[in-house]
Amino acid sequence: MSRRSLFLVSFIAVISISSYVVWGFYAHREINRLAVFTMPSELAGFYKRNQIYVSTHAVDPDKRRYAAALEGPRHYIDMERFGDGTVDALPLEFWEFHDKFTGLYCITATDSLEVSFAEGVIKVGEQTAKLKKNDYKFWYSKEIFPSYRQELDTINTALPVKIRGDFNPCLRFSVFDTMMQHGVIPYHMEDMLRWLTLAFKKRDTKRILQLSAELGHYIGDATVPLHTTTNYNGQETGQRGIHAFWESRIPELFAEAEFDMLVGKANYIVDKPAFFRELIRTSHERVDSVLLIEADLRLEMPESEQECYEERLGRIVRVPCTAFTRAYYNRLDGMVEDRFRLAINSVGSAWYTAWVDAGRPSMDGDLAVKVEPKDTTYSRKAGLDGRDH
């Protein structure tokens, strides 16, 4: 091989582990595959026949992250950006979250006026009027929020109440997005569960499997601590690469041989918003440990023992050394395994809950499906920050 060829091979073949994404493809597929074993007898046959499908398509949301601008925020939420940084600071409903953390503007013939609503009062520019919350909710969730999700630059609708006084009427509305870049995963999981329930009611097998696979992905993401913080890859603390270190390298090295995969049977989820918020809460409270333990370990171990090179699929990749990963895994004291197990049971519980809420339809006659799922994403012209959570 010539020197030039050798240089080019060396240049393009050394790939960092930071190219991995979320829980790792291996982990996401395993979580969905193992969730099948949590199913009750009435659903076990259906999901076992389609185990390969829900496992293989567990990674579909990651595959389209860079094709759809609004896909990325479905995978995380930056808790520090909202109120006191706890789930209690998040509005209960998605429309209210959107209303609170985005700017809505009334476009008149001569001006652009900010629209806001609080405590029974709607304000357009300097003009105000009383309005019941349910009336505002109905208008916002029916007219504004769906149009925004359909990528409309402007929204043609009328205010839900006449504003008195000298006021130029709104000709249309525009949304200034200050929300999506900080993530919406708890709300998106709720949406996915509702859609899965509807699919079960219709006994739409293809749709059931598509939504089951993808809901499993988002639930898996919600159990990862670094999906709940602005410091998602250690970039704020000089720990770049910790995201893949925690959620990809550790499971790939130790899950099959050392994780206890027996997580019990799926449970019915009574309070859906509380269930998904609890995933976020318990993930976020572990962020400091994830970062501090790794930082301390890097100070203690020689740099030469931290990064190694391995061959994968004919390429040389740079990864955390096995001994270094083992030390980090041990000091985390079972955290990664616990979150992995929680993800498996939570995915199974969500599938089971959708089926129960749909009226427990019989799935005995539904055969295995081999079909590519529809891409139900929506994109938006306005780009986000391009981060790789």
Side-chain angles (χ1 to χ4, degrees):
M1 182 179 293
S2 67
R3 287 185 179 181
R4 183 174 182 275
S5 297
L6 181 60
F7 171 79
L8 289 174
V9 170
S10 299
F11 181 77
I12 66 175
V14 178
I15 310 295
S16 169
I17 192 172
S18 63
S19 62
Y20 284 110
V21 288
V22 295
W23 258 132
F25 278 14
Y26 162 78
H28 271 302
R29 286 170 173 150
E30 279 297 284
I31 288 169
N32 275 13
R33 184 183 72 83
L34 293 166
V36 170
F37 296 104
T38 70
M39 293 294 94
S41 58
E42 301 96 323
L43 278 178
F46 170 71
Y47 276 105
K48 284 181 180 177
R49 288 191 295 274
N50 292 286
Q51 189 174 38
I52 294 176
Y53 183 101
V54 295
S55 176
T56 300
H57 291 287
V59 299
D60 285 355
D62 277 341
K63 291 180 178 180
R64 62 177 180 244
R65 291 176 62 131
Y66 299 104
L70 289 188
E71 176 60 35
R74 296 173 172 181
H75 298 247
Y76 64 87
I77 187 165
D78 296 332
M79 291 304 300
E80 300 93 340
R81 299 296 188 185
F82 305 108
D84 60 2
T86 69
V87 293
D88 294 333
L90 301 177
L92 190 61
E93 297 184 68
F94 200 178
W95 78 268
E96 192 170 6
F97 175 80
H98 185 270
D99 180 46
K100 184 176 181 179
F101 294 108
T102 57
L104 178 64
Y105 291 87
C106 158
I107 310 300
T108 71
T110 59
D111 205 353
S112 176
L113 307 173
E114 186 171 7
V115 180
S116 63
F117 178 83
E119 299 179 354
V121 174
I122 186 171
K123 184 177 181 180
V124 182
E126 296 302 318
Q127 302 298 312
T128 62
K130 292 183 178 180
L131 184 65
K132 293 180 180 179
K133 182 176 181 179
N134 282 342
D135 292 337
Y136 182 77
K137 171 185 175 179
F138 177 80
W139 174 73
Y140 194 96
S141 58
K142 180 176 183 293
E143 302 289 344
I144 304 299
F145 194 31
S147 297
Y148 164 80
R149 296 178 74 170
Q150 293 169 14
E151 307 178 59
L152 301 182
D153 293 325
T154 58
I155 302 165
N156 296 314
T157 186
L159 284 167
V161 65
K162 183 178 180 181
I163 306 297
R164 296 175 182 158
D166 283 337
F167 177 71
N168 293 321
C170 301
L171 302 177
R172 59 190 184 279
F173 292 84
S174 179
V175 172
F176 177 70
D177 191 342
T178 58
M179 170 198 72
M180 290 298 288
Q181 61 183 312
H182 300 307
V184 297
I185 189 172
Y187 301 102
H188 188 60
M189 289 187 291
E190 290 183 52
D191 279 347
M192 292 288 289
L193 184 60
R194 282 193 293 270
W195 299 337
L196 180 57
T197 301
L198 181 60
F200 268 118
K201 286 181 178 179
K202 294 181 177 180
R203 280 201 56 180
D204 185 341
T205 303
K206 296 177 183 178
R207 182 74 169 153
I208 290 169
L209 292 173
Q210 176 206 347
L211 291 170
S212 293
E214 297 193 8
L215 176 56
H217 182 103
Y218 299 114
I219 290 175
D221 283 352
T223 63
V224 175
L226 292 171
H227 280 261
T228 68
T229 177
T230 57
N231 194 20
Y232 55 89
N233 196 30
Q235 75 281 2
E236 298 174 3
T237 50
Q239 296 172 273
R240 286 191 180 274
I242 191 172
H243 199 114
F245 188 21
W246 190 97
E247 66 182 7
S248 294
R249 182 64 167 165
I250 288 176
E252 287 176 359
L253 285 178
F254 307 122
E256 187 173 346
E258 301 187 27
F259 285 11
D260 178 5
M261 305 297 192
L262 299 177
V263 301
K265 290 296 183 181
N267 301 297
Y268 179 75
I269 303 169
V270 177
D271 189 333
K272 283 75 170 177
F275 177 82
F276 293 126
R277 286 161 184 255
E278 183 66 5
L279 294 181
I280 299 299
R281 185 190 69 79
T282 57
S283 285
H284 192 59
E285 67 184 14
R286 288 164 170 77
V287 169
D288 287 347
S289 295
V290 169
L291 295 167
L292 292 174
I293 290 172
E294 195 262 5
D296 288 344
L297 189 60
R298 286 197 179 273
L299 291 176
E300 296 175 19
M301 294 187 69
E303 289 188 15
S304 60
E305 298 178 12
Q306 296 178 18
E307 301 293 327
C308 295
Y309 295 89
E310 294 181 0
E311 182 178 350
R312 295 191 178 194
L313 301 176
R315 297 187 300 180
I316 303 300
V317 297
R318 187 174 73 247
V319 296
C321 298
T322 299
F324 182 53
T325 306
R326 165 64 72 181
Y328 185 42
Y329 171 58
N330 289 344
R331 290 199 186 186
L332 288 169
D333 194 25
M335 182 196 296
V336 181
E337 179 183 357
D338 289 344
R339 304 308 288 174
F340 195 84
R341 287 170 50 83
L342 176 63
I344 295 168
N345 188 266
S346 298
V347 171
S349 295
W351 295 348
Y352 172 61
T353 298
W355 175 73
V356 171
D357 288 348
R360 300 174 181 263
S362 173
M363 306 301 293
D364 289 342
D366 292 71
L367 302 176
V369 171
K370 296 180 180 179
V371 63
E372 290 298 318
K374 294 179 181 178
D375 187 344
T376 58
T377 62
Y378 51 88
S379 61
R380 189 165 176 79
K381 298 178 182 67
L384 301 177
D385 59 7
R387 71 174 121 192
D388 180 14
H389 266 282

